[in-house]
Amino acid sequence: MIKFLFIILIAGFLLQQILHMNNEKVERIEVKEFGLLDDGRTVKVYTLKNKLGSSIEILDLGGILKSINVADRNGKFSDIALGFNNPQQYLTDSPYMGALIGRYANRIAKGRFTLDGMEYSLAINNSENTLHGGITGFDKQIWKSSPSTVNNEAQLKLSLISQDGDEGYPGKVSAIVTYRFNDQNKLTITYLATTDKATVINLTNHAYFNLNGHTAGSILDHEVMINASHYTPVNSTLIPTGEIATVRGTPMDFQTSKPIGRDINIDDPQLNFGLGFDHNWVLNKSTEGIISLAATAYSPKSGKFINVYTDQPGIQFYTGNFLDGSIKGKDKTFYQHRDAFCLETQHFPDSPNQTNFPTTELRPGEQYKTTTIYEFGIKN
Ligand code: GLA
């Protein structure tokens, strides 16, 4: 009898633990149906939450960061990420808003590169160049998704297989991207990839931020610091010339935080090519490959800031120059010129054709692994 009671007690205890674990899951990460694509496929939306009341929505379509809800200095929450209410718009209207970008973030000149003596031709989708993985890049695929709660942090693991020849790239690539959101408002993104043939790879996230809220208009009052003494100047099609140039004495100098609007309208050939800032900065690193502070952005109006940390050698700072009021985003907002900025951690554009840039080659048996952290906070 005593033995029987003892077993019941233990069973009860175990059941409680299991229920508690499940509760924890419900609290930290939830899944819902976001909607249907025109071809009938369902898109799911995961909500990652933390104890501060912040929440981040991520789609299994493109691993897209659909919203980022964080408090301002008065405790008022608003969504600082641009995006759409309808999943199909992410395939047809979106300039990569919030999406995971692959296989190769940024541009490859004329969609061509040579690797181990073989010449490869990629899908061309940006004047004469390939941009952000081609016509149907990683941003337009539905990823396999697996939510969990690990050490009280919401975690979403997304995986994708890209077949040999996808958009012209060699090798069957297996990519795994994990988003983790903790109680310090840090969103950590870990990118892993392997291949069965020599290839090139460069993964990033293309979130569009507005620290006054995604409906708030211009970001020219935001103050940005980029921890870089050099950048990679571009030609008129935004392909790097190969030069690693100093930022000193140019509008590209963000070594000390300054308002985005301060120099953006200067008549400068680089700014004219990009219609504003749309360049890759060469991050200052004491040791290659360590995770360090890459950039900060702050809105004096809301008090919200973002700190970006990465182990990557570069960051693309893009000031929404191609937004023109023609796309209707969330909350019926027509996003206008410079209503958002992006800080895309990455290897340099066109690295496969630039011998003096850090390599983006990946070979069988090697693992591509990089980490970027977006930390959201408030300053007075
Ligand atoms: C990147 C590019 C920009 C632009 C956007 C998407 O940031 O550098 O030139 O193409 O993506 O519109």
Side-chain angles (χ1 to χ4, degrees):
M1 181 64 180
I2 287 182
K3 211 166 157 192
F4 181 64
L5 276 178
F6 185 66
I7 288 171
I8 297 269
L9 221 70
I10 295 280
F13 174 74
L14 287 175
L15 192 70
Q16 219 181 14
Q17 291 299 310
I18 289 165
L19 286 176
H20 179 73
M21 271 162 61
N22 281 342
N23 275 341
E24 194 56 50
K25 250 185 200 168
V26 171
E27 209 181 86
R28 297 283 174 164
I29 185 158
E30 280 172 7
V31 61
K32 277 195 305 219
E33 187 179 312
F34 176 41
L36 298 181
L37 295 173
D38 286 356
D39 63 14
R41 283 179 300 161
T42 302
V43 176
K44 287 189 267 191
V45 56
Y46 290 92
T47 308
L48 285 64
K49 300 176 189 180
N50 71 11
K51 282 202 173 146
L52 302 174
S54 308
S55 62
I56 295 183
E57 287 181 303
I58 302 173
L59 307 183
D60 61 353
L61 173 68
I64 289 166
L65 283 177
K66 179 181 169 258
S67 68
I68 301 172
N69 282 289
V70 286
D72 67 10
R73 64 160 75 87
N74 301 316
K76 193 168 170 271
F77 282 80
S78 71
D79 177 5
I80 58 166
L82 276 63
F84 298 93
N85 278 333
N86 171 338
Q88 181 63 27
Q89 282 185 284
Y90 281 105
L91 296 186
T92 46
D93 302 352
S94 179
Y96 308 95
M97 280 180 178
L100 295 178
I101 308 295
R103 289 188 190 189
Y104 197 97
N106 220 312
R107 293 174 175 81
I108 295 180
K110 303 204 164 87
R112 279 206 295 264
F113 70 96
T114 303
L115 179 60
D116 297 343
M118 293 277 292
E119 193 172 320
Y120 295 100
S121 286
L122 308 169
I124 305 289
N125 62 336
N126 189 252
S127 70
E128 61 192 41
N129 304 316
T130 187
L131 173 70
H132 294 332
I135 296 161
T136 313
F138 287 8
D139 58 300
K140 296 188 178 62
Q141 315 282 338
I142 293 191
W143 294 56
K144 198 171 150 231
S145 50
S146 155
S148 59
T149 302
V150 179
N151 299 330
N152 284 329
E153 276 178 36
Q155 180 170 304
L156 182 63
K157 185 173 157 188
L158 298 164
S159 40
L160 186 74
I161 303 284
S162 167
Q163 296 299 338
D164 187 11
D166 190 9
E167 298 295 306
Y169 289 95
K172 178 178 172 185
V173 164
S174 158
I176 299 177
V177 177
T178 307
Y179 285 101
R180 287 189 287 126
F181 189 42
N182 75 8
D183 285 335
Q184 285 70 49
N185 262 357
K186 282 189 183 171
L187 178 69
T188 301
I189 315 177
T190 309
Y191 304 85
L192 298 176
T194 52
T195 183
D196 67 356
K197 247 190 218 171
T199 191
V200 293
I201 192 142
N202 189 25
L203 304 180
T204 195
N205 178 282
H206 206 304
Y208 282 66
F209 299 108
N210 184 323
L211 297 177
N212 296 329
H214 80 100
T215 61
S218 173
I219 44 78
L220 296 184
D221 62 339
H222 287 42
E223 295 165 11
V224 165
M225 183 286 294
I226 304 176
N227 185 13
S229 56
H230 289 77
Y231 78 108
T232 51
V234 289
N235 67 21
S236 63
T237 70
L238 302 182
I239 294 292
T241 59
E243 191 192 347
I244 308 270
T246 179
V247 296
R248 194 153 303 142
T250 79
M252 304 294 157
D253 193 347
F254 281 89
Q255 292 179 100
T256 309
S257 186
K258 66 176 178 184
I260 296 174
R262 181 177 294 170
D263 296 333
I264 201 167
N265 291 321
I266 289 178
D267 185 13
D268 169 277
Q270 286 298 314
L271 291 175
N272 295 340
F273 289 153
L275 303 180
F277 297 107
D278 191 359
H279 295 78
N280 168 66
W281 273 256
V282 177
L283 293 171
N284 297 332
K285 292 270 175 198
S286 56
T287 314
E288 198 187 308
I290 57 154
I291 299 179
S292 58
L293 183 67
T296 65
Y298 167 67
S299 161
K301 199 167 155 202
S302 68
K304 292 184 191 181
F305 71 79
I306 303 179
N307 291 338
V308 185
Y309 306 83
T310 190
D311 54 14
Q312 290 292 280
I315 198 164
Q316 183 86 6
F317 174 50
Y318 168 61
T319 43
N321 312 313
F322 298 117
L323 298 176
D324 60 4
S326 62
I327 50 170
K328 189 177 174 185
K330 294 182 289 191
D331 303 321
K332 304 193 174 87
T333 312
F334 287 90
Y335 298 125
Q336 310 290 336
H337 188 52
R338 299 179 181 159
D339 273 3
F341 65 92
C342 304
L343 287 165
E344 307 152 51
T345 57
Q346 58 173 12
H347 269 254
F348 307 168
D350 198 33
S351 297
N353 294 307
Q354 308 266 357
T355 44
N356 60 326
F357 289 178
T359 183
T360 50
E361 291 170 11
L362 181 71
R363 291 171 198 285
E366 294 174 351
Q367 189 184 47
Y368 168 90
K369 181 169 193 258
T370 90
T371 301
T372 290
I373 303 165
Y374 291 100
E375 177 184 23
F376 306 103
I378 318 158
K379 257 192 335 196
N380 285 317

